[in-house]
């Protein structure tokens, strides 16, 4: 069997297994957009790793013909960072949800934005916990009624783009699942961006959404920018949430910070070529010798 | 009849030096200078540390045992030959151990203290005060020179040994084994493992990445391991608790990951700079639900090197996490080791099943495809790493089919659980049984694991010198538990006592559950201070007399 190493994702079938998402789920749009972005950039599928968390949307790597990892709740960012630092030749993409990224894994979100590994982070933000039955999340709007908030959520929603911007992310964007073309473009630009790229992907839940289904967004979202604006405008856009919800590249740092790397030879290559008989290791014993 | 009398040392060829002072006064540097000086003079040395969890002040002391004849030496013994008091009054907690044969190196003494020491017959040597109060190192180095000249230690041409700590041996073992990634959240007493690796030549390419918490330390290392890098994280008990979910994930997704837990007294913050062996059963039962993993415990500095290197092989051969248990005593203890014990040539890499080959590709008529989690004969499928065009698959925390896709079918679930856990029997079959030290048959056998091994060996040597019949069994491979080898080793045991640095006898629980062996006699210590050879001989051994081990004669 010969295997083409310059394979394009569009030459491959959709995947081994069909998605288990509800009909009309926004996850389909995110999946289509991600596939399209990989195709757009001509990335060989075997050099792409998609790491997810836990939740409906995090089943996504199962439906892509790339390397994938369905990891644990809230932890895909440090896992993806480890993958990227150990093998920088890989394109590493995180797809998780608001529960993963903005709630249980919020500490990792801040640190990853600050650490700046070259990974792309797509958060399927449906403003609730879907797979567990529609409970409110940190991004739920005020008044959102659910099993855990029968009187309606009382707290104001977190605006995650403001958080990653403040933490130092150089690329902050927002897309929406019912506009896969826009989202694909944002993902492609995020992958090309050298550093941590945060894409908040609005992806309303058709089963438990209530206030958060697609309808409430109509008339509110607008494509605000392609990133060609100054820092002051970035600050306005990343924090804007309410009557108007900006889409597009909300912040593109004109002077990106250094990208996180490992030390010396990448770890995967280092281990692959490791030889304990290399005299450098024996020489290190001299450091323990007392003279 | 069992009768042990602590021997009186007859010469200054086997000496014990103690350096006492406040934290920040240079005690560790002082004792290191003495240890290095004696090592350079061809002595064998062993240095143990006692320190409170503070950066300045308080009371700390280091104990150094040294033998001019370079003979066996496993643990400090009772008594002090030379005591260095770096600050006024620092010697007082140790005064009772001084004798007419001892020397005290001290700064200003009160008249009453001077009189007490004269009555005891202890020789007092003056230690000049530091030139400036903010330079305590000056008197520390003066004290070290005084001790070295007292012992008449002169450098020899080629010192035969190396001097290093348990943590340094773990770090060196990991490096020689090909570890290239360490996710780290600092936690005493494990941190210096990562610091040693971070300080090596960048050309060796070990990435030590300081992260936001222990969960990130474990998951980032796990991510690196998924790409084929050998990866490790190091922590202590509370950090291991935060890593528990990652250990389960690594077992589920079959990702090799090495975790070093340098145990300390807990739970919670406990006593950060002190020692305990309280995490054994936690390390073994760390999972929610069931997944494969391996637990090892080195008992001395050389074993820290050997077992850490071995942990990487086991992790890759069985595609599961391996936990290496050390503790505060072993982590910070420094001793001379013969170079052959750390010889990189002793490390052979076994990366387990790797690569996409014909056996990993299905032949059911469908297009040939790689199965990362295929049902092979031994349940272990070859790994493929991202970047390999033939190996594309999904690693999953969900129950999954051979390709890695979510599969909740009843048949797949049962088969997948078996596939993951069957490997534990393979690992058990190659697990090392308890290692004996001392005569093949003895009146009493000490049963131990981890750093208490050192005090037990010293006790066996002390007993032998007095013609007493004592030996010991040290368990290094704790999970999967080597049942058969344990039964073999226990068959000869007449009376036994568990010697452990915890309050419940966790090795005893393991012997009871895994091997159905009941050891009634226990000697347990959990005050954060290492067990001593003398207390083993004076209290542990007598506790075993008149008891019988139940179940060992099967």
């Amino acid at each position: 069997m010969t295997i083409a190493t310059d394979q394009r994702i569009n030459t491959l079938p959709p995947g081994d297994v069909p998605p288990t998402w509800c009909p009309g789920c926004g996850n389909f749009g995110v999946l289509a957009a991600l596939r399209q972005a990989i195709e757009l950039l001509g990335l060989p599928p075997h050099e792409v790793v998609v790491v997810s968390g836990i939740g409906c949307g995090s089943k996504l790597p199962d439906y892509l013909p790339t390397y994938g990892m369905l990891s644990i709740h809230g932890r895909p960012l440090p896992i993806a960072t480890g993958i990227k630092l150990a093998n920088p030749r890989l394109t590493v993409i995180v797809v998780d949800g608001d529960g993963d990224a903005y709630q249980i894994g919020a500490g990792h979100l801040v640190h990853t934005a600050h650490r700046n590994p070259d990974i792309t982070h797509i958060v399927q933000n449906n403003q609730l916990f879907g797979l567990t039955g529609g409970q409110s999340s940190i991004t739920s709007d005020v008044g959102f009624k659910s099993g855990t908030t029968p009187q309606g959520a009382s707290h104001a929603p977190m605006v995650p783009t403001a958080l990653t911007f403040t933490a130092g992310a150089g690329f902050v964007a927002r897309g929406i699942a019912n506009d896969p073309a826009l989202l694909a473009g944002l993902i492609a630009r995020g992958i090309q961006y050298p550093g941590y790229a945060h894409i908040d992907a609005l992806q309303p839940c058709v089963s438990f959404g209530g206030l958060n289904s697609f309808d409430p967004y109509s008339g509110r979202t607008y494509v605000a920018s392609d990133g060609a604006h100054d820092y002051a405008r970035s600050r306005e856009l990343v924090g804007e949430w309410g009557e108007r919800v900006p889409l597009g590249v909300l912040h593109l740092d004109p002077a990106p910070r250094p990208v996180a790397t490992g030390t010396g030879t990448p770890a995967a290559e280092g281990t692959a070529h490791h030889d304990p008989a290399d005299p450098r290791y024996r020489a290190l014993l001299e450091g323990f010798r007392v003279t | 009849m069992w009768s042990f009398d602590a021997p009186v040392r007859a010469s200054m060829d086997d000496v014990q030096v103690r350096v006492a002072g406040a934290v920040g006064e240079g005690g560790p540097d002082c004792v290191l200078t003495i240890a290095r000086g004696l090592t350079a003079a061809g002595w064998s040395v062993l240095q143990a540390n006692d320190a409170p969890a503070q950066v300045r002040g308080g009371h700390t002391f280091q104990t150094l045992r040294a033998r001019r004849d370079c003979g066996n030496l496993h643990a400090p013994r009772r008594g002090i030959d030379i005591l260095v008091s770096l600050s006024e009054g620092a010697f007082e907690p140790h005064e009772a151990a001084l004798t007419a044969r001892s020397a005290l190196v001290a700064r200003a003494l009160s008249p009453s203290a001077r009189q007490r020491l004269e009555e005891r017959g202890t020789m007092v040597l003056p230690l000049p005060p530091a030139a400036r109060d903010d330079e305590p190192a000056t008197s520390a180095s003066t004290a070290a020179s005084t001790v070295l000249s007292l012992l008449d230690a002169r450098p020899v041409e080629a010192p035969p040994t190396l001097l290093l700590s348990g943590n340094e041996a773990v770090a060196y073992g990991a490096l020689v084994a090909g570890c290239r990634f360490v996710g780290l959240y600092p936690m005493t007493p494990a941190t210096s493992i990562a610091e040693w690796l971070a300080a090596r030549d960048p050309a060796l390419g070990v990435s030590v990445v300081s992260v936001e918490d222990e969960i990130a330390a474990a998951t980032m290392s796990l991510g690196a391991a998924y790409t084929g890098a050998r990866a490790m994280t190091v922590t202590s008990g509370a950090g291991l608790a935060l890593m528990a979910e990652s250990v389960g994930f690594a077992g589920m997704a079959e990702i090799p990951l090495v975790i070093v837990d340098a145990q300390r007294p807990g739970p919670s913050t406990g006593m950060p700079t002190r020692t305990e062996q309280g995490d054994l059963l936690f390390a073994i039962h760390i999972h929610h639900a069931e997944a494969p993993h391996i637990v090892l415990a080195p008992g001395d500095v050389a074993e820290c090197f050997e077992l850490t290197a071995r942990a990487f092989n086991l992790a890759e051969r069985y595609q599961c996490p391996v936990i290496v248990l050390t503790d505060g005593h072993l982590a910070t203890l420094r001793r001379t080791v013969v170079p052959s014990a750390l010889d990189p040539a002793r490390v052979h890499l076994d990366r387990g099943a790797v690569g996409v080959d014909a056996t990993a590709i299905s032949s059911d008529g469908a297009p040939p495809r790689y199965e990362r989690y295929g049902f092979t004969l031994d349940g272990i499928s070859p790994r493929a790493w991202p970047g390999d065009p033939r190996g594309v698959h999904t690693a999953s925390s969900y129950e999954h089919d051979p390709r890695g896709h979510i599969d909740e079918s009843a048949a797949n679930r049962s088969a997948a659980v078996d596939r993951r856990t069957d490997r534990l029997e393979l690992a058990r079959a190659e697990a090392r049984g308890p290692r004996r030290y001392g005569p093949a048959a003895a009146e009493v056998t000490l049963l131990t694991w981890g750093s208490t091994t050192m005090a037990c060996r010293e006790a066996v040597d002390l007993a032998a010198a007095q013609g007493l019949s004592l030996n010991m069994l040290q368990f290094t491979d704790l999970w999967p538990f080597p049942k058969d080898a344990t039964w073999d080793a226990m068959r000869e045991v007449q009376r036994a006592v568990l010697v452990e640095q915890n309050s419940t006898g966790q090795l005893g629980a393991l012997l009871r559950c895994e091997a159905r062996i009941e050891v009634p006699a226990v000697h347990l210590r959990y005050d954060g201070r290492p067990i001593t050879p003398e207390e083993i001989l004076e209290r542990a051994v007598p506790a075993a007399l008149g008891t019988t081990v139940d179940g060992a004669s099967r």
Side-chain angles (χ1 to χ4, degrees), chain A residues 195-253:
Chain A
Y196 170 75
H198 174 211
I199 300 160
D200 184 51
L202 298 175
Q203 181 263 302
C205 178
V206 293
S207 292
F208 300 112
L211 281 178
N212 303 331
S213 62
F214 278 108
D215 282 349
Y217 286 118
S218 56
R220 287 168 71 199
T221 56
Y222 72 104
V223 178
S225 176
D226 64 357
H229 55 258
D230 65 12
Y231 195 80
R233 181 71 181 134
S234 286
R235 198 157 47 199
E236 287 171 9
L237 287 176
V238 296
E240 186 174 20
W241 181 271
E243 288 304 303
R244 279 158 57 85
V245 175
L247 305 178
V249 180
L250 310 184
H251 171 58
L252 183 61
D253 197 335

Side-chain angles (χ1 to χ4, degrees), chain A residues 3 16 46 62 67-71 75 78 83 108 111 115 262-263 271 274 281-282 284-285 288-290, chain B residues 36 159 163 172 176 178 180 207 212 215 223 230 343 369 385 387-388 390-391 393-395 397 403 405-406:
Chain A
I3 291 157
D16 296 338
H46 64 274
D62 241 9
Y67 278 89
M69 185 189 283
L70 281 69
S71 80
R75 316 302 170 199
I83 294 170
H108 303 310
H111 279 263
R115 184 180 293 120
T263 307
T271 297
H274 177 70
Y281 300 111
R282 190 180 297 276
L284 283 173
L285 280 177
F288 301 128
R289 196 179 291 280
V290 177
Chain B
R36 292 173 69 92
L163 180 68
Y172 184 65
V176 173
R180 289 293 175 276
S207 296
E212 54 270 31
I215 297 173
R230 284 192 159 186
D343 190 344
R369 290 196 305 182
W385 297 312
D388 183 340
R390 303 161 305 170
H393 69 276
T394 309
S397 66
R403 296 264 299 151
H405 296 304
I406 299 172

